[in-house]
Amino acid sequence: MDYRKHFADAIAGLQKEGRYRVFAEIARHAGQFPRATRYRPDGTTHEVVVWCSNDYLGMGQSPVVRDAMRACIDEVGAGAGGTRNISGNNHYHVLLERELASLHGKEMGLLFSSGYNANEAALSTLGKMLPGCIIFSDEMNHASMIEGIRNSRAEKRIFRHSDVNHLAALLREADPNAPKIIAFESVYSMDGDIAPIADLVALAEKYNALTYLDEVHAVGLYGPNGAGVAERDGIMGRVDLINGTLGKAFGVGGGYVTGPAPIIDAVRSFAPGFIFSTSLPPVVAAGALASVRWVRAHNEIRVQHQERAQRLKDMLAQYGLPVMKTPSHIVPVMVGDARCCKEGSDVLLEEYGIYVQPINYPTVPRGTERLRFTPTPLHTDAMMRDLATALNDLWKRLHMGRVAVA
């Protein structure tokens, strides 16, 4: 077998479909988010405005976070030095886990190297440890949740996206004595919709199931303390396990799971993804700790964030652009064609200094390719007008449709 050709052909297939992913090389300007410098392949540079960052509040550029990280690296150095069990359990890890448990009103928190790692490790471990467990998973759940459920080797039942009636039917059909986990997200990041958390929790209570909620695209952004949609809706105390990230609204990196102490301790004690991973650098934990504390105390930044998201939606809609109607801070603009989406993204970057990545299959289904914008409190009206004008020009140039998308 010609191994090199086999893999080259696979890449060529992606390129032919317009789905080959090219990483834009950028350098964010400290303290000047969302501005950045883009490095072209030929070595030249130009200035861009970042419109697709998951640093939803710009906390990665906050002096509060940067100062905390500088102080920490001077205090304890760079790396953690090992796994949590072998010399890598730093004081900042402990403080951050306590803060995260407090944020979500849970007994215990556990840090991971990423939100993906947290989901995979937690769900796979829980499914393995509960004999005869059945995991009920929303069909639009993130790849990390799907992987964790698959690796658990537990029986799984997939319910239609946010379809409470379908989930109820599946629960009725299941063995009433079998342990059960219902896994779902709060904000689904590609469509920007929000799960009916209260209804899902009510079903879990009725059928004696654990609830596992992924709030990665909501922590920091919703609720009076920024704990997420469950806090905003007043039902956080009824959710058993909450997964979150430190790399989006908190602007640093890493992931976590919070919940009842015996369950989280079991994940800590049995999950290979936790046991055998070098712990987060203390400097990252210190920056995240400062960010979580600041964001918890400043609800006004969440108000500003929601205002900016609505402002952009309104502005793009005024141009007749196909903005998907969402109840969240995510602003997707439907394109519907992989090649067109990639070409549009390239034109925006090169000619307008607007950086937004094309979103295509397998992240979203074929035929629903889109440009996904994530406005922050730091995006100005002038930046939004520049974006709207550029998109209007782009739609004319590429002859893209303008039918409104629900």
Side-chain angles (χ1 to χ4, degrees), residues 361-372:
Y361 179 84
T363 306
V364 295
R366 286 186 173 91
T368 67
E369 293 82 4
R370 67 200 64 178
L371 299 174
R372 172 184 174 274

Side-chain angles (χ1 to χ4, degrees), residues 331-333 335 341 345 348 356-358 370-373 391 395:
V331 185
V333 177
V335 176
C341 198
S345 173
L348 288 171
V356 58
Q357 278 292 103
R370 67 200 64 178
L371 299 174
R372 172 184 174 274
F373 299 94
L391 286 174
W395 250 248

Side-chain angles (χ1 to χ4, degrees), residues 18 24 36 41 51 64 70 80 117 123 133 206 240 279 328 355 399 406:
W51 275 103
V64 171
R70 286 192 196 96
N117 185 225
L123 283 168
C133 180
K206 179 178 179 180
D240 296 301
S279 52
S328 71
Y355 175 40
H399 306 290

Side-chain angles (χ1 to χ4, degrees), residues 7 21 70 109 112 116 125 129 132 140 159 191 277 307 328 353 375 380 402:
F7 292 107
R21 298 183 179 190
R70 286 192 196 96
F112 290 84
Y116 188 107
T125 301
M129 293 188 69
M140 297 299 288
F159 61 93
D191 288 349
S277 291
E307 184 277 329
S328 71
T380 66
R402 292 174 179 269

Side-chain angles (χ1 to χ4, degrees), residues 116 120-121 123-125 127-128 144-154:
Y116 188 107
E120 192 285 327
L123 283 168
S124 63
T125 301
K128 287 175 184 175
S144 59
M145 302 175 78
I146 294 170
E147 193 69 13
I149 294 166
R150 180 184 294 121
N151 291 340
S152 76
R153 298 183 181 177

Side-chain angles (χ1 to χ4, degrees), residues 61-264:
Q61 302 296 316
S62 167
V64 171
V65 175
R66 289 155 52 208
D67 289 348
M69 295 180 80
R70 286 192 196 96
C72 178
I73 203 165
D74 287 341
E75 177 189 354
V76 303
T83 64
R84 292 289 293 277
N85 186 52
I86 304 177
S87 83
N89 187 43
N90 189 273
H91 183 53
Y92 286 103
H93 298 132
V94 176
L95 291 177
L96 179 54
E97 286 175 339
R98 290 174 182 167
E99 188 73 24
L100 293 168
S102 170
L103 173 68
H104 292 291
K106 303 303 179 190
E107 294 175 348
M108 187 174 177
L110 190 64
L111 284 174
F112 290 84
S113 57
S114 70
Y116 188 107
N117 185 225
N119 269 337
E120 192 285 327
L123 283 168
S124 63
T125 301
L126 295 174
K128 287 175 184 175
M129 293 188 69
L130 291 169
C133 180
I134 305 172
I135 302 180
F136 299 81
S137 176
D138 188 291
E139 67 177 344
M140 297 299 288
N141 276 344
H142 190 265
S144 59
M145 302 175 78
I146 294 170
E147 193 69 13
I149 294 166
R150 180 184 294 121
N151 291 340
S152 76
R153 298 183 181 177
E155 184 179 346
K156 64 181 178 183
R157 308 280 173 84
I158 310 301
F159 61 93
R160 289 187 293 271
H161 180 48
S162 292
D163 190 330
V164 177
N165 292 329
H166 187 214
L167 174 59
L170 294 176
L171 287 164
R172 284 195 299 270
E173 295 169 0
D175 179 353
N177 297 315
K180 301 173 183 66
I181 300 171
I182 301 173
F184 55 99
E185 301 179 41
S186 56
V187 176
Y188 287 84
S189 64
M190 291 301 117
D191 288 349
D193 59 315
I194 295 177
I197 300 176
D199 294 336
L200 297 174
V201 168
L203 277 178
E205 291 168 344
K206 179 178 179 180
Y207 290 94
N208 191 30
L210 286 173
T211 43
Y212 185 99
L213 171 60
D214 179 317
E215 289 258 36
V216 296
H217 289 278
V219 289
L221 307 178
Y222 297 87
N225 295 286
V229 176
E231 183 194 32
R232 182 199 69 176
D233 293 350
I235 55 172
M236 187 168 65
R238 294 167 59 194
V239 177
D240 296 301
L241 296 143
I242 296 178
N243 162 272
T245 182
L246 302 164
K248 292 182 171 63
F250 295 127
V252 188
Y256 63 89
V257 179
T258 64
I263 298 177
I264 299 301

